[in-house]
Amino acid sequence: MNPNREGDGWSALADGTRRAIVSRLADGPQAVGQLAAGLPVSRSAVSQHLKVLKDAGLVSERAAGTRRVYRLNPTAVAALRDQLDTFWQRALASYVEVAGQATEESP
Amino acid sequence: MNPNREGDGWSALADGTRRAIVSRLADGPQAVGQLAAGLPVSRSAVSQHLKVLKDAGLVSERAAGTRRVYRLNPTAVAALRDQLDTFWQRALASYVEVAGQATEESP
DNA sequence: CTTCTCGGTTAGGATTCACTAACGGTTAGC
DNA sequence: GCTAACCGTTAGTGAATCCTAACCGAGAAG
């Protein structure tokens, strides 16, 4: 068991193949065969990557007959984006703090 | 050279220790000893992580006497954030496309 | 000059990860 | 009932990764 609950999203996006899957799913829902046909890996690899992404909450699965359609979860993507945005804003704030040492702050 | 030029940032953020380093650097520049003192890993590990982050362009290093101060690079963080934002917007666009197919629409 | 602290580098081990290959289960169509 | 297509799962291998421990170089203080 890998208790990387918060880090799941980041480690899921660490792999290039998974980012490619996410990029394709961002354009619209697709099945496993569709994704594997456009990627240089086998179906098993795509299925495992989708499992990782689903476990991270980045994609959701829906059964459509005999094939399963996966679609991207915008909320999870937005959560990671917000976390990155927080880092960015804090970094800017620290820069302002350093800059404020030279001159006074302006309204 | 690492052929994962764009993916460097993502794989750099995949590790929890590196994210902790990034989080601390977001609050202000720090030296290696400072970071290692607040983290449950040794100085060597912190130095290696900083090398990975520097190679990914996420942090920049500046010599201050005998100790080196690392600081976060907001531009690289913003680049990753924008990429995530692109995924988010595309996913929303595909949702709108699917929603347009249905006749029901609720506020 | 000597000593002390700080930082980077290397070697080594243990863990984790990504991929292929083979199998079983489920649904659509004859 | 039977065939065909599609999908998920389980070994198993090879590579990448993260960590500690030990060594060495560079400045500051005495």
Side-chain angles (χ1 to χ4, degrees):
Chain A
M1 334 157 173
N2 281 329
N4 277 347
R5 235 152 267 174
E6 316 167 4
D8 268 341
W10 295 111
S11 39
L13 287 181
D15 190 62
T17 303
R18 276 197 291 263
R19 278 199 307 277
I21 291 175
V22 167
S23 177
R24 284 163 191 272
L25 287 181
D27 285 335
Q30 280 190 13
V32 179
Q34 289 263 347
L35 290 167
L39 289 172
V41 294
S42 66
R43 221 179 47 238
S44 289
V46 173
S47 191
Q48 290 179 22
H49 285 312
L50 284 171
K51 176 171 183 156
V52 173
L53 290 170
K54 186 173 68 177
D55 198 60
L58 281 168
V59 305
S60 59
E61 174 247 342
R62 199 183 46 155
T66 174
R67 67 189 63 178
R68 276 155 200 183
V69 179
Y70 288 83
R71 64 185 176 87
L72 192 61
N73 186 10
T75 307
V77 177
L80 296 176
R81 178 180 61 95
D82 288 352
Q83 195 169 346
L84 228 51
D85 198 60
T86 302
F87 287 158
W88 181 65
Q89 289 185 7
R90 279 202 283 165
L92 287 189
S94 87
Y95 273 119
V96 168
E97 189 176 316
V98 171
Q101 179 182 349
T103 64
E104 280 124 60
E105 311 148 19
S106 55
Chain B
M1 296 288 234
N2 280 329
N4 279 345
R5 215 166 295 155
E6 315 166 5
D8 267 340
W10 296 112
S11 40
L13 286 180
D15 190 62
T17 303
R18 277 196 291 263
R19 278 200 306 278
I21 291 175
V22 167
S23 178
R24 283 162 192 272
L25 286 182
D27 285 335
Q30 279 190 13
V32 179
Q34 289 262 348
L35 291 167
L39 290 172
V41 294
S42 65
R43 234 179 26 241
S44 289
V46 173
S47 191
Q48 290 180 21
H49 284 312
L50 283 172
K51 177 171 183 153
V52 172
L53 290 171
K54 186 173 67 178
D55 197 59
L58 281 168
V59 304
S60 59
E61 174 248 343
R62 199 184 45 155
T66 174
R67 66 189 62 179
R68 277 156 198 180
V69 179
Y70 288 84
R71 64 185 175 87
L72 192 61
N73 186 9
T75 306
V77 177
L80 296 176
R81 176 180 62 92
D82 288 352
Q83 196 170 344
L84 227 52
D85 197 61
T86 302
F87 286 157
W88 181 65
Q89 289 186 7
R90 278 202 282 165
L92 285 190
S94 87
Y95 271 119
V96 168
E97 191 176 314
V98 171
Q101 178 182 349
T103 56
E104 181 192 353
E105 225 174 83
S106 51

